[in-house]
């Protein structure tokens, strides 16, 4: 919706003193052009404005569009103008004289700042378009504005000199929210997703479908009926189509309209329809051609065409397509529409599962909805369960929920109940909802005797939920129970069992077990490994701080080796989260942008919001990060798994720390620390270190020292170099006086490139802060400038802004000189020679030292300045000497 709001703000400038007062909004049918004009009209408040609506028949009559314009003013024609109006449809129009005469009258009679809103300008006759184009251009001097919409990408010639704003299709999340907001009755999210699926990005089409749903459909009491019955009479639409296309093209459109898709090979077999006719429809953008299949992207047009046919005519057309189609799924669908008694519903639903496999989700839904409306005595629960599973794997979670709720209304066998609960919990895991562990235990207790494997998988997902909630003891009990059930069933553990086991191992610090799982995964063929397993092992490795191994485990998913779409989408999200955890800021920023550009932004809630909040914090955009965190705040306690609520609280603390709200940061970090409960991970270590830093920045030195002593032994349980560097930084912060400064210098001396640029910047930053507290102003500035340089180089602008605020207390001249004062005499010589373009060999000869000694000095300089090569080093000092 944001792009529509931005557009309205831009168009508002054309109505209030902008130097150009004419704008054109263009876009195809259903994109919401009329809505844009209505919104502009509402925003004009008391400003005079007139709305002129054209229709498809205006182009057939000379000056009919102009008369619509004059009627809206209203303006009584003077005798001079009336005499110029032709008295027959074939008479010539003196456009220039009419335009001049109208200009004189309008100049005298129209109030200044009047706005004319012309809908569907391209429907007007060419003479009216030319006259109105002339008036729009000349009346700007009288502070009169024109905002018009056009269906075509080509703007009518008289208006093509004015600024144009093309309307883009809306994203699915925005359309779904519009459906929910605009529905008169409470609309389930899953039904809204189905509406969005058929609207194809067109808000106008979506609203038309929404208005056509019955109250029973809105309350989800029955399956939806597709295609939706349009309220606008079909005959008028057909007449408009007949004016644009040939008879054979209209015939082709009717055949395409009666099914969700039509094979191209079938379309050109239709009597009197040629390949050229179909190609023309595709080239005109009316028909979409993909995977050798044709469909009407404007579902509203399809509905008009469908209901404009007689029932007998539809049956005959279905029969012809069924005979000509090679696709088993489509053949069955059309046969069932031609003869309702022949094809059982369960057979249709099995075909729909294959359509989902082929990516034809809207066609699959239509087939299933049709199958469910035909139910008599048969009950296709197994097929619907398979359809639900396939929808989940393809990432259509909301639509899958609709069919779960549908099956809830039937009496199911015990095995089917457990399968339905398995699908429900699986969807909850993927979308990030709370998993009902009590319901799982109850169902397993009741039905496990005859359904051991299904019960074992449910217990595995209960263990997974308990892990995410920090209840590691209870999770261990459920894992034991799941293992016993799999053993009794003589079945191999499911991917979800391995998921829960590996996650439990990572949270309890069993590194050897996690690494064993990692070695097992990478030694197998990627095609033989379930997508869950890749994601699970990568997540466990990231939790333990093995970031490179986590990336390796994730690569098969990101490279498309995993066949299930939902895991590929989750791979993009996990890539962003792992890069954030690894403190690889440049890679994390890019990964978040890649995730946001993907279609599946509603998976693993609230993780997408968390990574986006981090993104905007790094970008120094509290205006963007704040609303995301505010939206998450009410759900932190009790409504999110604790692992996620802890991340939200940690981010709130991080934002407060960057904004120098230290007491607020302390509160958030203390809350996050408590929320970890039994879990002691690298994330816990980071929280403790941030809390100690917040205490120190708030000048609570004793509390910082006490906090380090209290958590030191727990933090030390996490092995690995990254944890060690964090703990040493916390120790340097907590220690007093010169001992602290010596520890910071030792940290800088032991830093290695594998430790990461963000960690180097944080060390310089904390060192500079401590030097400032000790009264060593110049040394403090030196360290802070280095930290700021690194922050800026890696894109951590939020941290750079924090340093800027610290440096702002020092005069500009002192800050500029510091960049050079921080160099030793030998280093200054090397910098000067690098800036002259001298090679390492030239420098060595000039200074009478070895080339390796030059390389060592350059390495120190790179570390000190946060640069990574000679060009960056030279630019760093050149920029500060200018």
């Amino acid at each position: 919706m944001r792009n529509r709001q931005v557009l309205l703000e831009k168009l508002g400038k054309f109505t209030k003193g902008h130097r150009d007062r004419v704008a054109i909004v263009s876009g195809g049918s259903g994109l919401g052009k009329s809505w844009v004009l209505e919104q502009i009209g509402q925003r004009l408040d008391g400003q005079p404005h007139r709305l002129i609506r054209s229709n498809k028949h205006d182009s057939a009559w000379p000056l009919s569009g102009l008369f619509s314009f004059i009627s809206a003013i209203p303006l009584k024609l003077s005798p001079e103008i009336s005499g110029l109006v032709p008295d027959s449809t074939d008479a010539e129009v003196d456009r220039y004289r009419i335009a001049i005469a109208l200009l004189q009258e309008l100049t005298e009679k129209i109030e200044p700042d009047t706005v004319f809103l012309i809908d569907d300008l391209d429907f007007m006759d060419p003479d009216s378009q030319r006259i109105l184009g002339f008036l729009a251009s000349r009346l700007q001097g009288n502070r009169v504005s024109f905002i018009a919409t056009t269906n075509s990408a080509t703007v009518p010639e008289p208006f093509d000199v004015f600024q144009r704003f093309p309307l883009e299709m809306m994203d699915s999340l925005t359309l779904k929210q519009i459906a929910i907001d605009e529905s008169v009755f409470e609309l389930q999210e899953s039904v809204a997703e189905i509406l969005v699926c058929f609207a194809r990005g067109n808000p106008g089409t979506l609203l038309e479908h929404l208005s056509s749903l019955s109250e029973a459909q809105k309350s989800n009491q029955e399956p939806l009926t597709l295609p939706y019955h349009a309220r606008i009479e079909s005959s008028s639409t057909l007449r408009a189509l007949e004016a644009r296309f040939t008879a054979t093209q209209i015939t082709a459109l009717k055949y395409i309209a009666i099914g969700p898709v039509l094979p191209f090979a079938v379309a050109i077999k239709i009597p009197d329809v040629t390949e050229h006719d179909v190609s023309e429809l595709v080239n005109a953008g009316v028909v979409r051609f993909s995977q050798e299949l044709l469909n009407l992207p404007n579902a509203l047009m399809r509905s008009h065409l469908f209901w404009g046919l007689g029932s007998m005519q539809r049956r005959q057309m279905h029969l012809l397509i069924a005979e000509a189609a090679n696709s088993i799924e489509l053949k069955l669908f059309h046969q069932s529409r031609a003869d309702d008694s022949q094809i059982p519903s369960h057979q249709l639903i099995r075909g729909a599962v294959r359509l989902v496999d082929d990516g034809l989700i809207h066609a699959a839904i239509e087939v299933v909805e049709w199958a469910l409306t035909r139910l008599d005595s048969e009950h296709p629960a197994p097929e619907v369960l398979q359809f639900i599973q396939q929808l989940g794997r393809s990432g259509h979670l909301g639509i899958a929920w609709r069919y779960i709720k549908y099956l809830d209304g039937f009496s199911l066998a015990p095995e089917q109940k457990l399968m339905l609960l398995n699908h429900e919990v699986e969807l909850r895991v993927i979308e990030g909802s709370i998993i009902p562990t009590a319901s799982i235990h109850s169902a397993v207790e009741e039905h496990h005797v005859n359904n051991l494997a299904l019960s074992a998988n449910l217990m595995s997902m209960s263990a997974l939920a308990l892990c995410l909630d920090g209840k590691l003891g209870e999770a261990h009990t459920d894992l034991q129970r799941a293992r016993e059930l799999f053993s009794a069933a003589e079945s191999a553990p499911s991917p979800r069992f391995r998921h829960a086991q590996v996650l439990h191992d990572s949270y309890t610090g069993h590194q050897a077990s996690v690494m064993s799982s990692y070695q097992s995964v990478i030694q197998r063929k990627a095609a033989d490994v379930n997508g869950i397993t890749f994601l699970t092992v990568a997540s466990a490795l990231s939790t333990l701080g093995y970031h490179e191994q986590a990336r390796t485990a994730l690569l098969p998913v990101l490279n498309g080796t995993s066949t299930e779409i939902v895991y590929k989408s989750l791979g993009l999200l996990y890539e962003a989260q792992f890069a954030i955890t690894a403190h690889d800021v440049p890679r994390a920023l890019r990964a978040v942008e890649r995730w946001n550009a993907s279609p599946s932004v509603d998976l693993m809630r609230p993780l997408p919001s968390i990574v986006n909040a981090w993104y905007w914090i790094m970008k120094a955009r509290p205006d963007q990060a704040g609303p995301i965190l505010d939206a998450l705040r009410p759900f932190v306690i009790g409504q999110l798994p604790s692992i996620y609520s802890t991340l939200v609280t940690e981010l709130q603390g991080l934002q407060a720390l960057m904004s120098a709200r230290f007491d607020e940061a302390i509160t958030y970090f203390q809350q996050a620390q408590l929320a970890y409960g039994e879990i002691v991970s690298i994330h816990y270590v980071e929280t403790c270190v941030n809390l100690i830093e917040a205490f120190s920045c708030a000048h609570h030195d004793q509390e910082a020292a006490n906090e380090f002593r209290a958590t030191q032994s727990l933090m030390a349980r996490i092995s690995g170099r990254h944890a060690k560097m964090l703990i040493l930084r916390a120790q340097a912060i907590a220690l007093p006086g010169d001992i602290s400064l010596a520890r910071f210098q030792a940290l800088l001396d032991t830093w290695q490139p594998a430790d990461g640029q963000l960690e180097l910047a944080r060390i310089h930053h904390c060192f500079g802060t401590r030097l400032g507290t000790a009264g060593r102003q110049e040394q403090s500035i030196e360290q802070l400038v280095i930290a700021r340089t690194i922050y800026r180089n890696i894109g951590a602008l939020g941290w750079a802004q924090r340093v800027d605020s610290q440096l702002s207390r020092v005069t500009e001249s002192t800050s500029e000189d510091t960049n050079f004062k921080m160099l030793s005499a030998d280093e200054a010589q090397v910098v000067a020679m690098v800036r002259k373009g001298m090679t390492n060999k030239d420098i060595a000869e000039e200074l009478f030292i070895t080339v390796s000694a030059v390389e060592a000095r350059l390495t120190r300089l790179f570390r000190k300045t946060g640069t990574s090569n000679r060009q960056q080093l030279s630019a760093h000092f050149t920029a500060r000497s200018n």
Side-chain angles (χ1 to χ4, degrees), residues 14 47 50 65 81 131 202 205 220 269 284 322 338 366 375 423 437 491 493 570 588 624 649 692 695 758 761 833 849:
F14 287 82
Q47 191 173 347
R50 300 286 186 272
I81 298 176
I131 294 171
N202 292 3
T205 302
N220 204 29
K269 291 179 183 178
E366 182 162 336
L375 291 181
H423 290 327
T437 53
S491 171
L570 284 172
Q624 295 286 345
T649 307
I692 292 166
F695 273 129
L758 183 62
M833 293 175 183
I849 59 177

Side-chain angles (χ1 to χ4, degrees), residues 458-486:
L458 280 171
M459 292 303 297
S460 302
M461 288 194 279
S462 175
L464 174 63
L466 291 166
C467 282
L468 293 174
D469 223 14
K471 300 173 182 177
L472 301 182
E474 295 176 43
H476 178 72
T477 302
D478 279 6
L479 281 170
Q480 288 284 83
R481 177 67 170 146
R483 189 178 290 107
E484 292 168 3
L485 290 169
F486 278 123

